[in-house]
Amino acid sequence: MEWPEITLRHPDWEKKKTPSKSGSSEILRIKTKILDHYSGSILTHLKPNECFRSDLFGKFRFHSPRIDWIREDGITEREEKLLRLFFQELLDELKGDLVWDPELFFLCSAFLLCEERIQEYHELLGSFGSDLQEAKLGRRLLYFLDLIPGEQLSTEDLSAKERLSYHHKKDGLSPEEQNELYDLVISSQEPDLLGLAFYYFKEKKEGIRNVRVLDAMISRRIEEFEPTEIRSFLEHFDPTHSILERFFLLKKCVSRDRLSSWVAEEKKKNGREELSETLRDSIQEGTDESLFDRFNVLKSQGMSYTLRPFELLVLWNSTLAGELDAEMLSLRAKASSSYLVERAIAVQEFKDKKFAAFQERLSLTGRFQYTPELVYLKAISFLETGRVEEGVQLMESLVYKFPQSDFLRLVLDRYKKKS
């Protein structure tokens, strides 16, 4: 009695368009050639989960494993041409086939990822069984890049990077997971998630886990980010860091012309811009003239706001008060972001006895808030609003700095007696 012939099939085998043995042998032949020549290179050890990173907006982007992977692996120009020929033959042979070879998958996967040929990578996955563990890694990469629909993943099979990324995509990270993410990033265990850590911690200025450490890490790696990310980060970085830190960051990521423009703008904000030769001569010629003449010279150039605080107060107590008010009205309408403009507006608020607004605006005047004239006005504003102890302390510091000033001593004594 003869046993009936039994053929075992995997369900996916039915989907093969060209199940011929010759195709499989050709694939094996090309694979062997590649391994004989390039074993030990990045082609044999690159994993798909190394090829995505988080951006600064909480999304995930493809992350090229090497800038010039062929050169870095020491492959000559002739070997490169041969390698590309082998792989093109291999990819052509795989079309329509369904194979279950993890080593082959890693070879093709690494090549296409190094070449950043993501669409072809997507097509490649159709040549490998859905249950092949190595191919699952490739599909997982496409899921994180939003190139295939979402799927349920078992977190037990995921690395820390994949697990945190998966939970972020699904429901967002819990506070505990956010802390874990921060610790993994700053300890350099998961550098590809730096953008995600920034996304969660960018508003946290205080505490053990704060954004300043992340700011420093992003600044060091700023060239790795896309232009839209760089622009967004610069907007975040600008108001919270010193001018020196901002200068060195910009130097890494903007053109020389833009950097020069930024330096000129910062000089303008800080009152250090170069006056035009004509204007400088006019002011120097009028040095011995009255404040009113200097005001007219500066007003003709739209720069009356550059007068010192005490000079502005004198003008507001003169017949030119109306003209100065008109100048300030025009200045506010322009919404300029100069420290000198903010200083002039602060002085006007002090003059109008809007002391709370004056005190709040001082922080917008940059280094000018520490000049003696503004410190004096700040002290008076404190004394006039009941913050006597703070006002007296500021006034005492001015007396200490200017011990020959009888005026400051008289003001200090008067408020001390009141208190």
Side-chain angles (χ1 to χ4, degrees):
M1 178 178 177
E2 293 184 359
W3 289 98
E5 182 177 346
I6 298 175
T7 303
L8 299 177
R9 292 180 179 273
H10 189 281
D12 281 339
W13 291 2
E14 302 298 330
K15 300 176 186 176
K16 289 174 65 175
K17 297 176 183 177
T18 55
S20 65
K21 292 183 179 179
S22 61
S24 296
S25 62
E26 185 65 14
I27 289 172
L28 182 60
R29 182 185 67 81
I30 302 171
K31 170 190 163 184
T32 304
K33 276 188 176 182
I34 293 174
L35 288 174
D36 285 346
H37 288 82
Y38 307 105
S39 182
S41 72
I42 190 174
L43 296 176
T44 57
H45 62 254
L46 177 67
K47 296 179 180 178
N49 67 356
E50 298 172 7
C51 297
F52 76 93
R53 70 168 180 88
S54 58
D55 65 19
L56 301 184
F57 309 116
K59 303 293 183 183
F60 296 102
R61 299 180 184 234
F62 177 73
H63 174 49
S64 179
R66 297 283 181 91
I67 295 173
D68 192 353
W69 65 278
I70 285 180
R71 298 286 173 268
E72 290 186 13
D73 274 334
I75 297 173
T76 66
E77 187 175 347
R78 179 181 175 280
E79 289 173 328
E80 176 187 347
K81 290 179 180 178
L82 196 60
L83 177 65
R84 294 187 188 283
L85 182 63
F86 285 161
F87 267 108
Q88 195 54 57
E89 286 183 36
L90 183 55
L91 294 171
D92 289 342
E93 287 292 333
L94 279 171
K95 288 178 181 177
D97 270 326
L98 191 68
V99 293
W100 297 80
D101 185 339
E103 190 175 47
L104 179 62
F105 172 77
F106 272 132
L107 275 179
C108 297
S109 170
F111 177 75
L112 291 177
L113 291 175
C114 285
E115 294 285 284
E116 301 185 23
R117 291 156 62 174
I118 304 302
Q119 183 56 44
E120 292 174 75
Y121 186 79
H122 196 172
E123 296 169 0
L124 171 74
L125 290 168
S127 296
F128 290 86
S130 58
D131 291 336
L132 184 67
Q133 182 60 35
E134 289 72 16
K136 285 182 180 180
L137 300 178
R139 292 185 180 89
R140 201 177 292 167
L141 168 63
L142 296 184
Y143 163 69
F144 287 125
L145 297 178
D146 291 325
L147 296 176
I148 60 174
E151 54 183 66
Q152 286 297 124
L153 300 178
S154 171
T155 54
E156 294 179 1
D157 299 331
L158 304 181
S159 65
K161 174 184 176 181
E162 291 173 318
R163 174 173 53 80
L164 291 169
S165 300
Y166 177 64
H167 285 172
H168 169 70
K169 280 180 69 71
K170 282 294 186 183
D171 304 304
L173 298 182
S174 67
E176 293 76 15
E177 288 173 322
Q178 291 178 31
N179 290 342
E180 179 189 3
L181 167 68
Y182 186 94
D183 294 344
L184 288 172
V185 168
I186 66 168
S187 62
S188 299
Q189 294 180 63
E190 295 295 347
D192 288 337
L193 296 184
L194 174 57
L196 192 60
F198 176 80
Y199 173 80
Y200 279 106
F201 287 87
K202 61 185 173 184
E203 302 300 331
K204 297 182 181 179
K205 308 291 193 301
E206 306 294 336
I208 297 175
R209 297 178 178 89
N210 62 72
V211 74
R212 293 192 70 86
V213 178
L214 302 176
D215 284 348
M217 295 178 74
I218 294 172
S219 298
R220 288 195 294 270
R221 295 169 49 186
I222 194 67
E223 297 93 340
E224 299 176 21
F225 295 89
E226 300 292 332
T228 53
E229 295 176 90
I230 293 174
R231 284 195 295 271
S232 176
F233 182 69
L234 291 177
E235 290 174 7
H236 155 83
F237 196 85
D238 188 69
T240 57
H241 291 76
S242 71
I243 191 169
L244 199 59
E245 290 173 313
R246 285 180 281 152
F247 172 79
F248 285 115
L249 175 60
L250 284 168
K251 193 174 180 182
K252 292 180 182 178
C253 58
V254 303
S255 66
R256 183 174 295 181
D257 288 344
R258 185 180 168 192
L259 183 62
S260 298
S261 299
W262 178 84
V263 170
E265 184 62 29
E266 287 300 309
K267 284 184 177 180
K268 182 178 179 181
K269 283 184 181 180
N270 284 280
R272 293 177 175 175
E273 65 178 333
E274 289 295 325
L275 298 174
S276 68
E277 188 175 344
T278 304
L279 178 57
R280 185 168 59 248
D281 291 343
S282 299
I283 293 174
Q284 287 174 346
E285 289 171 3
T287 300
D288 296 330
E289 301 297 328
S290 69
L291 170 62
F292 306 115
D293 291 333
R294 287 192 291 116
F295 169 68
N296 286 327
V297 171
L298 289 167
K299 187 180 75 168
S300 67
Q301 301 289 328
M303 295 182 66
S304 57
Y305 63 87
T306 61
L307 287 166
R308 299 178 68 86
F310 286 179
E311 293 175 328
L312 291 171
L313 289 173
V314 170
L315 288 170
W316 264 309
N317 284 280
S318 73
T319 56
L320 293 177
E323 292 184 42
L324 184 53
D325 280 334
E327 284 283 295
M328 293 301 297
L329 196 62
S330 172
L331 202 59
R332 285 175 180 265
K334 292 178 182 177
S336 172
S337 60
S338 164
Y339 295 145
L340 282 170
V341 169
E342 298 293 348
R343 183 181 73 173
I345 294 173
V347 174
Q348 186 179 34
E349 290 170 338
F350 176 88
K351 183 263 299 183
D352 294 335
K353 297 187 177 180
K354 298 177 180 178
F355 296 125
F358 163 76
Q359 292 164 11
E360 188 175 342
R361 190 174 298 277
L362 283 179
S363 62
L364 303 178
T365 64
R367 66 186 178 87
F368 292 115
Q369 64 186 298
Y370 307 113
T371 56
E373 287 170 286
L374 282 188
V375 171
Y376 174 81
L377 296 184
K378 184 178 182 181
I380 296 297
S381 75
F382 281 166
L383 293 167
E384 291 294 326
T385 53
R387 297 167 66 177
V388 178
E389 185 177 346
E390 293 171 88
V392 167
Q393 285 178 349
L394 286 177
M395 200 63 73
E396 285 176 338
S397 69
L398 288 172
V399 170
Y400 179 80
K401 184 171 179 63
F402 303 102
Q404 304 303 318
S405 174
D406 293 332
F407 171 75
L408 287 174
R409 289 184 183 279
L410 287 171
V411 174
L412 177 60
D413 290 342
R414 187 180 71 177
Y415 279 103
K416 273 186 173 180
K417 287 176 183 177
K418 280 188 177 182
S419 63

